[in-house]
Amino acid sequence: MIGQIIDNRYQVESTLGRGGMGTVYRATDQVEHRPVAIKFLHAYLDMPGDMAFKRFQREFRVLAQLDHPRIVTAYDHGVYRDTPYLVLEFLEGQNLSRVLANGPLARALLLSLTSQICEALVYLHNRSIVHRELKPGNLMLSETDNGPQIKLMDFGLVRTANLSVQLTQEGTALGTMAYIAPEQAQGFPVDFRADLYALGIVMFEMATGRPPFVHENPAVMLMNQLTMPPPAPSQFNPGLDGQLEALILQLLAKEPSERPGSAGQLARQLAILADKTPIIPAETGKYRADIIPRVPLIGRDQALSELQQLWVHAQQGVGRLVLVPGVALSLIHISEPTRQPA
């Protein structure tokens, strides 16, 4: 791919990264004379029917209508050699996941970055858009004259609050397991509070250097997200103050109604902790906070034991699809994990 010209316009120069959904390249837009990032979405080719094309179009449509300094800009999209691609704003810096590999952040930086993420979430939620895959790998951190600045990326799982729209596979809980909200993991409809839960996980990791739930077995990780109370962040960072810890734990409530009422409300709480005045646009109040039922906890030792046995088989190369029945049916694909590049 390096050296090729995409659609007589984009000169591919280097590889920026590879992930589960595809590969991102740095390129030059020979029309606008600017650097861009081209995201080739190889994983979409494995989706059945026209699901890949629908999801690809959805990501571009959502990105194209967004105009916010905390959200990556989408310029163009197309299909090259049967593979869909997005042309995105090129961002200098590194994602938050790589930054956190060096350990927890200072309190002031944690509060600043979280407040910036809240700005993006208020903008999205005011437009009835739920990101659904907020995690450090989707947050790009750049150094500027005004200090570290963050931008939200990767809108492949985004959806609107319109419950008639369902473009993911029936019964499948998408999203990265370590950051997925309990209601999302169980296949329930999600609203803005799923993003707040994920942000709580990100804050926990910024405060401690690790997520609250860590396990190599994705089935156990899922069970922990559904049933286990998160550990206190101060268990891993004794210097963390009680007010910040309480806010993080509130975001990680299993019951959505027990989390902060909105991203704007969270931003105001963060401003109090930072002794600053929040700069957050007015919220519309159209957040569909009524659509999520109470989250039923599974908490079944027998089910967990069976999942652990299946995980052992998966490590031996025998994967399978497992139904975990409850109030809602969740589909879990048990397979041997593959290492993603750093």
Side-chain angles (χ1 to χ4, degrees):
M1 185 66 71
I2 306 301
Q4 296 185 30
I5 299 178
I6 309 302
D7 289 343
N8 298 314
R9 178 168 180 173
Y10 304 107
Q11 175 80 48
V12 181
E13 299 171 346
S14 61
T15 302
L16 295 175
R18 291 183 173 88
M21 295 303 297
T23 305
V24 181
Y25 299 93
R26 175 173 177 152
T28 295
D29 182 341
Q30 297 181 331
V31 174
E32 296 292 339
H33 304 290
R34 64 187 174 193
V36 296
I38 299 185
K39 178 181 178 182
F40 279 89
L41 306 164
H42 305 297
Y44 283 11
L45 301 179
D46 297 328
M47 294 183 181
D50 61 353
M51 181 183 298
F53 187 67
K54 285 183 178 180
R55 186 173 169 189
F56 162 68
Q57 284 192 316
R58 174 179 58 180
E59 181 171 7
F60 179 75
R61 283 199 306 268
V62 170
L63 278 171
Q65 66 179 303
L66 302 180
D67 182 15
H68 193 275
R70 303 294 180 202
I71 297 174
V72 66
T73 301
Y75 296 134
D76 193 9
H77 73 298
V79 177
Y80 181 72
R81 294 182 178 176
D82 298 323
T83 303
Y85 67 85
L86 295 172
V87 181
L88 306 170
E89 172 188 8
F90 177 75
L91 301 175
E92 296 279 3
Q94 55 185 334
N95 65 44
L96 184 58
S97 181
R98 293 188 177 183
V99 174
L100 293 176
N102 298 319
L105 305 183
R107 182 181 188 274
L109 180 56
L110 183 159
L111 293 174
S112 173
L113 295 182
T114 306
S115 295
Q116 293 176 40
I117 297 169
C118 282
E119 292 177 32
L121 291 182
V122 168
Y123 179 84
L124 291 175
H125 297 166
N126 276 345
R127 287 155 180 78
S128 299
I129 295 173
V130 183
H131 187 276
R132 299 202 306 159
E133 201 178 14
L134 185 63
K135 60 182 180 179
N138 288 339
L139 294 163
M140 180 63 76
L141 188 63
S142 303
E143 293 293 336
T144 72
D145 293 339
N146 296 321
Q149 302 294 309
I150 208 159
K151 283 203 175 190
L152 180 57
M153 308 182 296
D154 200 337
F155 285 69
L157 296 187
V158 76
R159 67 170 294 177
T160 66
N162 182 353
L163 299 186
S164 66
V165 177
Q166 182 60 46
L167 296 177
T168 57
Q169 287 178 277
E170 187 69 24
T172 303
L174 296 175
T176 303
M177 199 64 69
Y179 305 91
I180 192 170
E183 63 272 20
Q184 185 177 351
Q186 294 181 88
F188 287 139
V190 299
D191 63 14
F192 67 94
R193 293 171 295 185
D195 285 345
L196 295 184
Y197 182 92
L199 181 53
I201 300 282
V202 173
M203 288 180 66
F204 190 108
E205 194 166 353
M206 287 194 287
T208 67
R210 49 155 286 168
F213 303 113
V214 177
H215 203 285
E216 63 176 9
N217 185 332
V220 175
M221 179 82 75
L222 175 66
M223 296 292 286
N224 288 341
Q225 291 282 28
L226 293 173
T227 66
M228 294 291 292
S234 58
Q235 177 180 333
F236 308 102
N237 181 0
L240 193 68
D241 63 275
Q243 288 182 309
L244 179 54
E245 177 173 77
L247 181 56
I248 293 173
L249 292 176
Q250 183 187 4
L251 286 162
L252 297 182
K254 305 295 186 188
E255 168 58 50
S257 65
E258 295 175 2
R259 299 170 201 158
S262 68
Q265 179 181 321
L266 173 59
R268 288 184 283 274
Q269 291 175 271
L270 292 167
I272 292 173
L273 292 179
D275 294 324
K276 294 182 178 179
T277 301
I279 305 175
I280 295 292
E283 297 172 296
T284 63
K286 300 176 181 178
Y287 282 178
R288 299 301 302 276
D290 58 322
I291 65 175
I292 302 299
R294 294 188 63 85
V295 178
L297 302 184
I298 297 177
R300 293 173 292 184
D301 294 338
Q302 181 179 353
L304 179 58
S305 176
E306 292 176 358
L307 287 171
Q308 289 173 329
Q309 293 176 20
L310 290 171
W311 174 246
V312 172
H313 293 162
Q315 290 178 309
Q316 298 170 351
V318 182
R320 65 181 63 187
L321 193 67
V322 183
L323 284 173
V324 180
V327 174
L329 283 177
S330 297
L331 294 181
I332 309 171
H333 183 246
I334 306 290
S335 60
E336 186 175 3
T338 56
R339 290 186 176 274
Q340 297 292 340

